[in-house]
Amino acid sequence: MSHVPAAFILTLLTTFALAPGCAGRDATGPAPTSTRHDDLVALFTDWRAFQRPTVVDGVPDYTAAAMAAQHRELGTYQRRLAAIDPSGWPIPQQVDYHIVRAEMNGLDFDQRVLRPWANNPAFYVTVFADESDQPAREAHYAQGSVELWSYAWPLDAAAEAAIGAGIRAVPALLDQARTNLVGNGRDLWTFGGSSVRAQSAALAAVAARLTGPATAGLRADVERAKVATDSFAAWVDAEAPKKTGPSGVGRDNYDWYLRNVQLLPYTWHDMVLLMERELARAHASLALEEQRNAGLPASAPVPNAEAYDRWFQQGVTEYMAFLKDHQILTVRDYMDPALRARRGTYSAGPREFFGEVDHHDPEVMRTHGYHWFDKARMQHDPHPSPIRRGALLYNIFITRTEGHATGWEEMMLEAGMFDARPRSRELIYILLAQRAARALGDLRMHSHDATLEEAARFTSANTPRGWLSLEGRLVRGEQHLYLRQPAYGTSYVSGKIQIERLLADRKRQLGDRFTMKGFMDEFDAAGLIPISLIRLELTGALGEDLKSVLALDQHKSGSAPR
């Protein structure tokens, strides 16, 4: 590992410590009092308990007074972290330190800028019918979610009690929300009602399944929650026209969030350049693929449900065989069933964007389904560090999860997976164009250069073949998510770019010892953490652009590149 001059390290540490709101060690304050990783783990346990809101009579407290108290107390945990010196630890333990710091910065950003409990009506949705493909549900939600998909029917007594506890909290939480929500962001309010109505639909579906006398109590709770949800949705719709302000966080806040929470070495301006470049590359590559395939029959969607089911199963089988036969990664026993359990549903049309892709080739979206490998690994092969064992807070995992799943599509194309199906190669670039276009929508909404509707129209117009129609719900639903969670829309592409760079650097570092299987195994083993931290763990070094983001004296760690 190359050594960084001590004077340069001191400059970085001083700059880092003086950054507003940053949880790094204060160069002007007391010296660190601990050098033990065990103390970090203990702090992490306390921090996670503190981060959750206080629960009063079964309802999380997001009132202004409760949130102000939490913000005041946050500094106590930041100072405890600053009192720990990780510079002499092995690199994996240093990575744990950066994870805790990023999570604390995430709460700091929520308290100072995002304030979802005060600005975002969708924050108060807590009943979900479908499983997220992420380690934790995308964006910010109130504590106490009821994940209906996770229960087997008919319900046993334990499941009925668990669902009932969450459902009974809904009316009181939504009453509290009417007082808490004081924000003026027009788009968050205008599109928030649709998220609330999705909760109503989920509750109606549950009520329809609770038909026997044994479930009469739970059914009554569900019906009360639905009445409260419908009333709240109507209130949000009525309030929305009164809102006149922007909903984005602004460029300076976006820059701070990228660096201190997502641990990315980019600014808002950098992101715009990267996304514009990838959008142009995707369209150009698609044009060349189409030219190469001009003499081939046009790609046609699968014709019926029976063919779709057969196609899906065959696609999973071929994909898993490709990974194994080409030594792409170590195929674990849990991977095939995890992927096979996620069979989609045939649609004669009209189809939303990803359904259109899926109906044209059964394997393309299976590559993006790496998410299900990730979730199965968390269950069957959890990380040894308690700090990385569960889902990180504030969606800090997205450059790894969404970035890798997006990058994996093109990696498998380059590895030869679609050589026998040239028309499927076109789909990879259609997907990339859509991700880059919607990322630019994310950026422009947060810089106050576009409304959500304008971002949706831009994304639709720049997605090839008209497959992301403004007539569907997806295009606006995605932009609504990205408005609620800064940098989510960009993570698919920024994470992909970082992973491509890491792969290239690891190949240069290892030379003839590099194998794709070895790279992927160590990549997966690092956990679902920011790519900058995976880079640190795998290479033992930081690029110049990341030194100011992490700013620890790595040359004292004693760890050599592997």
Side-chain angles (χ1 to χ4, degrees):
M1 184 190 313
S2 61
H3 289 225
V4 182
F8 180 64
I9 289 290
L10 179 60
T11 300
L12 286 178
L13 287 172
T14 303
T15 302
F16 179 69
L18 295 178
C22 189
R25 298 191 300 278
D26 185 354
T28 64
T33 58
S34 171
T35 58
R36 289 166 22 95
H37 184 261
D38 287 348
D39 290 338
L40 178 68
V41 173
L43 170 58
F44 173 75
T45 301
D46 293 345
W47 150 251
R48 283 298 189 89
F50 161 76
Q51 185 271 344
R52 294 191 293 270
T54 301
V55 176
V56 180
D57 296 329
V59 180
D61 186 358
Y62 290 101
T63 60
M67 292 296 94
Q70 184 191 59
H71 196 191
R72 288 193 298 271
E73 186 65 19
L74 172 61
T76 300
Y77 291 85
Q78 292 175 316
R79 287 188 291 274
R80 284 180 61 185
L81 182 66
I84 298 173
D85 178 9
S87 61
W89 297 352
I91 285 178
Q93 293 185 355
Q94 293 186 20
V95 166
D96 285 348
Y97 180 95
H98 289 302
I99 290 169
V100 178
R101 177 172 63 85
E103 285 196 347
M104 290 185 184
N105 287 345
L107 179 57
D108 180 44
F109 187 81
D110 272 12
Q111 285 283 357
R112 293 185 298 105
V113 180
L114 209 58
R115 299 177 54 76
W117 52 84
N119 294 322
N120 177 17
F123 175 78
Y124 292 98
V125 173
T126 54
V127 180
F128 302 98
D130 299 318
E131 182 180 4
S132 169
D133 61 9
Q134 295 301 295
R137 192 164 292 279
E138 303 91 324
H140 290 61
Y141 291 100
Q143 181 178 303
S145 65
V146 181
E147 301 287 348
L148 295 170
W149 56 270
S150 66
Y151 296 98
W153 291 77
L155 301 173
D156 60 23
E160 187 174 335
I163 292 175
I167 294 294
R168 285 190 292 275
V170 168
L173 177 64
L174 296 182
D175 281 345
Q176 184 193 126
R178 295 178 191 238
T179 301
N180 296 348
L181 286 165
V182 296
N184 192 40
R186 185 175 183 86
D187 280 339
L188 284 174
W189 283 79
T190 299
F191 292 91
S194 61
S195 296
V196 179
R197 285 187 287 276
Q199 173 165 294
S200 178
L203 289 166
V206 173
R209 303 185 73 170
L210 299 172
T211 56
T215 59
L218 179 57
R219 181 183 175 90
D221 290 336
V222 170
E223 289 174 344
R224 281 190 288 270
K226 186 179 184 305
V227 169
T229 299
D230 291 339
S231 176
F232 183 65
W235 177 76
V236 171
D237 289 344
E239 292 294 309
K242 306 173 188 176
K243 308 300 178 180
T244 59
S247 296
V249 300
R251 295 184 187 184
D252 289 345
N253 285 324
Y254 203 96
D255 287 351
W256 193 93
Y257 184 80
L258 289 174
R259 180 166 293 269
N260 294 289
V261 182
Q262 292 295 336
L263 305 185
L264 283 163
Y266 307 128
T267 65
W268 180 92
H269 287 282
D270 295 333
M271 284 289 204
V272 170
L273 291 175
L274 290 170
M275 301 307 134
E276 288 178 341
R277 171 68 187 106
E278 286 294 281
L279 180 60
R281 187 177 72 84
H283 278 278
S285 297
L286 175 60
L288 291 170
E289 289 289 341
E290 291 172 335
Q291 178 64 31
R292 188 176 75 167
N293 299 333
L296 300 176
S299 175
V302 65
N304 54 55
E306 181 182 354
Y308 179 89
D309 292 344
R310 184 173 61 251
W311 208 17
F312 172 86
Q313 299 297 342
Q314 180 183 346
V316 174
T317 299
E318 292 179 357
Y319 174 43
M320 298 306 299
F322 181 86
L323 295 177
K324 184 175 182 179
D325 294 345
H326 289 75
Q327 296 289 296
I328 302 294
L329 50 72
T330 298
V331 175
R332 311 288 181 180
D333 290 342
Y334 51 74
M335 289 180 171
D336 185 294
L339 201 58
R340 211 172 287 276
R342 307 298 164 180
R343 181 177 62 83
T345 303
Y346 172 76
S347 171
R351 292 179 285 267
E352 290 278 25
F353 175 76
F354 295 107
E356 197 67 60
V357 174
D358 209 28
H359 280 60
H360 279 77
D361 186 285
E363 293 184 40
V364 170
M365 292 309 298
R366 306 293 80 74
T367 60
H368 195 85
Y370 209 99
H371 293 317
W372 304 114
F373 294 169
D374 288 338
K375 294 192 75 169
R377 177 182 286 273
M378 290 180 71
Q379 178 183 354
H380 296 284
D381 190 15
H383 198 279
S385 169
I387 292 173
R388 300 190 225 181
R389 197 165 295 154
L392 305 191
L393 301 178
Y394 308 108
N395 290 179
I396 295 171
F397 46 76
I398 53 179
T399 55
R400 162 57 179 83
T401 56
E402 300 290 18
H404 176 64
T406 300
W408 196 243
E409 298 163 6
E410 195 169 349
M411 288 183 197
M412 292 303 94
L413 179 151
E414 295 296 342
M417 187 168 152
F418 303 108
D419 285 357
R421 301 195 303 281
R423 286 293 186 186
S424 295
R425 293 174 59 90
E426 299 170 10
L427 301 175
I428 302 300
Y429 294 113
I430 293 172
L431 284 163
L432 179 57
Q434 190 254 7
R435 272 65 169 269
R438 68 188 187 183
L440 287 165
D442 169 327
L443 290 160
R444 290 166 181 168
M445 288 189 299
H446 281 293
S447 65
H448 307 156
D449 293 318
T451 64
L452 190 152
E453 183 64 25
E454 290 168 341
R457 290 184 178 278
F458 173 86
T459 306
S460 175
N462 283 276
T463 298
R465 299 183 183 173
W467 284 1
L468 188 62
S469 172
L470 289 168
E471 299 300 316
R473 293 181 296 177
L474 179 66
V475 62
R476 294 180 181 85
E478 288 182 327
Q479 294 301 324
H480 184 217
L481 167 62
Y482 307 153
L483 191 57
R484 293 157 55 203
Q485 177 64 69
Y488 204 108
T490 56
S491 70
Y492 299 81
V493 182
S494 64
K496 178 187 81 74
I497 291 170
Q498 282 199 305
I499 293 166
E500 291 167 348
R501 180 179 173 190
L502 172 58
L503 192 156
D505 287 351
R506 196 68 172 131
K507 175 68 168 67
R508 282 192 291 267
Q509 188 180 47
L510 294 178
D512 292 342
R513 293 181 292 129
F514 176 88
T515 66
M516 189 65 187
K517 184 177 181 179
F519 172 79
M520 285 307 304
D521 287 352
E522 65 180 3
F523 180 85
D524 280 337
L528 305 182
I529 62 177
I531 297 300
S532 56
L533 298 182
I534 296 179
R535 164 180 287 277
L536 174 59
E537 185 155 319
L538 267 57
T539 68
L542 297 173
E544 290 296 324
D545 56 353
L546 284 170
K547 285 175 181 172
S548 62
V549 174
L550 300 186
L552 275 181
D553 190 346
Q554 302 299 338
H555 78 277
K556 292 181 181 179
S557 70
S559 299
R562 289 167 290 177

